[in-house]
Amino acid sequence: MANLNTNSNGFLYFLVGALLVGVIGFGVYYFTQDHSAEADLEISVGEDGIKVDGN
């Protein structure tokens, strides 16, 4: 019976490790992406008034 418990613990550790690797991998992927893409709408306020440029 102790052997079955050891296998269950091994599978549990594997599952937790796989989830941890997945979360860390997604975090690295998300935070290394370029989020500075140019906006589709640009609004400028100057002395001549308000200018709206919709790319």
Side-chain angles (χ1 to χ4, degrees):
M1 191 70 147
N3 191 13
L4 178 63
N5 193 14
T6 304
N7 288 340
S8 296
N9 284 340
F11 179 73
L12 182 62
Y13 289 138
F14 172 76
L15 189 62
V16 170
L19 287 173
L20 188 61
V21 167
V23 168
I24 290 172
F26 178 75
V28 168
Y29 170 77
Y30 180 78
F31 286 112
T32 57
Q33 293 299 309
D34 185 20
H35 296 292
S36 63
E38 194 170 316
D40 292 337
L41 180 65
E42 182 178 333
I43 302 173
S44 304
V45 179
E47 292 181 9
D48 297 334
I50 299 173
K51 178 182 174 187
V52 178
D53 182 21
N55 296 330

